[in-house]
Amino acid sequence: MRVDDYPVHGPETAEFDARVEANQRRLAAKIQPSYDFIVCGSGSSGSVVARRLAETGSASVLLLEAGGTDDVPSVREAEQWAANLGTERDWGFQAVPNRLLNGRRLPLSMGKVLGGGSSINVMAWSRGHKNDWDYFADEAGDRGWSYESVLGIYRRIEDWQGTPDPLRRGTGGLVYVEPARDPNPIAPAMLEAARSLGIPTFDDQNGEMMEGEGGAAIANLRIRDGRRLSVFRSYVYPYMDRHNLTVLTSALVTRVVFDDKQAVGVEFLREGRSHRIAARREIVLSLGAINTPKVLMQSGIGDQSELTRAGIDVVRIFPASDGISRITSSLAAFGNIKLPSYPGTTQGKRLSFGRAIYRSTRRICSRFSWKLRSPLQRPPIFRRRRCHGRYCQASFARAAEDACASQGQIHAIRSR
């Protein structure tokens, strides 16, 4: 079956909802001792993987999520997104105290709910600049990560509602994307201000703008008729009436089970009990940038000295320099921003990032991207100690929609 043949946005009707509820209640009541595939984490990556595996119809798939249902107003209604932060739907991680920020610990919000981060984020659809993807390809030594390669994937998965651009945007896919509707007057005013400074403006932030030296555009959003479109709702939910896809909530994965060096299953906590389920073919860990390496370490995979200190039997050694346990260097979050002295601002004035984002969801929704200085070649996010980037993107973190084109954390452990 081709992507174009799939039901695009899911049959969310009362009848279908009732069928899903009955089917999943029946499947949850009869948990099997083994499944072909076990997918741990229902975030952006896990949802895509679970959907693609279930599509075959012949493979049994168990999708485990530590959080609860996404069928609550704060998740489904786009304007209520900020109400999820700091609740049971947010893991509520914090960075270590930063001496450069007066010892403050910045929040690292991650979704603990069906859909993961795509159920609590700002719903911006930001595909990345050409330089970003070509940088990934150079570092990986794999042209499959290049801009030209992932552009074809984006075209295939998108259902773009803005100005047609067949070279860069797709239609008819699972991922509904639209320009912000009825933007606040501040948004076009910001674009006009950028234009007056010689910064070009574009109809689409993810089109030609992502191939040049930068510009400004109205943001792309994953919202339809005021409702959030999480990756879980786009990919997994339309398949939850199938017999071969079991979705368990409140299932906290604690470790991967090994037989010698062979991964054979997972253990998870649910309703106060520990469960062990076997995987006949493969286990996929898509638990996010913090919980994925955590579960790997709890399973005996990681830096030997740290595992030994924690009393964990070593299954496979990955030195800290390889990135399994030293994860904080790859994380970034912004608590608040200190504005410099520009016309109309006050020197040293602080703007809460959360309030700024909240205002953007009230239809300000504009985006800017521009080079920092011409000799520089790469985005600053990819250098730890000193900036060597060329593009500065004023946008918000997002979870991508397709595993092949995402930056989500996916680790596949082959079982057989």
Side-chain angles (χ1 to χ4, degrees):
M1 181 180 288
R2 297 178 298 107
V3 170
D4 292 344
D5 296 328
Y6 302 143
V8 175
H9 301 298
E12 291 202 32
T13 64
E15 179 184 353
F16 182 79
D17 292 344
R19 193 160 70 244
V20 165
E21 182 179 359
N23 183 55
Q24 291 301 317
R25 187 187 305 113
R26 182 171 57 253
L27 293 172
K30 298 180 179 180
I31 297 299
Q32 302 301 307
S34 66
Y35 293 81
D36 290 323
F37 297 94
I38 301 176
V39 180
C40 305
S42 70
S44 296
S45 300
S47 287
V48 172
V49 172
R51 159 70 179 255
R52 295 308 189 202
L53 293 172
E55 282 173 353
T56 66
S58 59
S60 61
V61 180
L62 175 64
L63 177 59
L64 300 174
E65 169 55 47
T69 180
D70 66 332
D71 194 14
V72 293
S74 61
V75 172
R76 304 300 303 281
E77 301 298 327
E79 290 187 354
Q80 297 191 38
W81 76 270
N84 296 295
L85 304 183
T87 70
E88 69 275 11
R89 289 176 289 281
D90 180 359
W91 281 98
F93 296 121
Q94 289 186 320
V96 297
N98 190 327
R99 63 180 180 82
L100 300 178
L101 297 174
N102 297 323
R104 284 179 296 138
R105 297 166 61 94
L106 299 183
L108 299 171
S109 291
M110 295 188 182
K112 187 181 180 183
V113 61
L114 288 173
S118 72
S119 287
I120 71 169
N121 66 10
V122 194
M123 297 155 287
W125 178 250
S126 301
R127 302 192 323 191
H129 194 275
K130 182 179 185 296
N131 271 13
D132 298 353
W133 292 107
D134 289 344
Y135 175 83
F136 295 152
D138 292 344
E139 290 294 300
D142 183 353
R143 299 313 298 172
W145 286 96
S146 70
Y147 178 74
E148 290 302 322
S149 177
V150 300
L151 187 60
I153 297 173
Y154 276 123
R155 284 198 302 264
R156 189 170 75 248
I157 68 175
E158 282 185 336
D159 188 16
W160 169 237
Q161 302 298 303
T163 303
D165 183 357
L167 293 178
R168 302 176 183 89
R169 307 308 299 259
T171 58
L174 293 173
V175 183
Y176 181 97
V177 184
E178 65 179 26
R181 293 188 180 185
D182 186 26
N184 186 292
I186 294 177
M190 291 174 69
L191 299 191
E192 183 57 37
R195 192 180 298 112
S196 71
L197 295 173
I199 298 175
T201 59
F202 295 85
D203 290 332
D204 176 16
Q205 70 164 82
N206 287 309
E208 184 182 359
M209 176 172 152
M210 288 294 102
E211 298 174 357
E213 292 194 334
I218 299 296
N220 289 185
L221 299 176
R222 290 274 289 130
I223 298 172
R224 188 177 193 181
D225 299 328
R227 305 269 279 180
R228 174 192 294 273
L229 295 173
S230 71
V231 187
F232 174 81
R233 285 281 159 173
S234 296
Y235 277 81
V236 176
Y237 193 76
Y239 269 65
M240 285 180 64
D241 64 335
R242 311 294 177 96
H243 71 281
N244 65 324
L245 175 59
T246 302
V247 179
L248 284 187
T249 56
S250 302
L252 177 66
V253 176
T254 55
R255 73 184 186 103
V256 177
V257 179
F258 286 88
D259 180 5
D260 191 22
K261 302 294 183 181
Q262 184 77 46
V264 295
V266 301
E267 288 184 356
F268 62 92
L269 296 174
R270 188 169 190 259
E271 297 178 346
R273 296 176 53 199
S274 179
H275 302 263
R276 178 180 291 191
I277 305 293
R280 293 189 289 268
R281 297 179 65 180
E282 200 161 280
I283 300 163
V284 178
L285 299 185
S286 51
L287 298 164
I290 291 179
N291 283 324
T292 292
K294 175 186 175 183
V295 168
L296 287 173
M297 293 180 71
Q298 290 175 175
S299 307
I301 301 175
D303 183 78
Q304 185 173 18
S305 62
E306 293 193 12
L307 295 177
T308 301
R309 185 166 59 250
I312 299 173
D313 293 336
V314 177
V315 174
R316 183 171 180 181
I317 297 173
F318 275 95
S321 59
D322 287 350
I324 292 295
S325 55
R326 292 289 184 259
I327 60 173
T328 54
S329 62
S330 66
L331 302 174
F334 301 88
N336 57 50
I337 303 167
K338 186 173 182 179
L339 300 177
S341 181
Y342 291 121
T345 70
T346 303
Q347 178 68 34
K349 178 180 179 182
R350 292 186 180 275
L351 175 65
S352 162
F353 190 62
R355 289 200 302 271
I357 301 294
Y358 180 70
R359 293 170 189 169
S360 78
T361 65
R362 297 173 67 185
R363 306 194 310 278
I364 294 179
C365 298
S366 55
R367 171 173 173 160
F368 295 80
S369 172
W370 197 244
K371 60 184 179 182
L372 300 176
R373 52 185 188 272
S374 57
L376 304 178
Q377 297 301 315
R378 298 294 181 193
I381 189 69
F382 300 119
R383 190 76 170 191
R384 294 180 185 176
R385 292 183 176 85
R386 64 186 180 87
C387 171
H388 74 314
R390 184 175 184 182
Y391 295 92
C392 177
Q393 301 188 71
S395 60
F396 312 126
R398 91 283 183 269
E401 305 291 340
D402 193 282
C404 296
S406 80
Q407 299 166 27
Q409 299 289 317
I410 307 178
H411 293 263
I413 301 177
R414 197 163 296 281
S415 180
R416 290 287 183 268

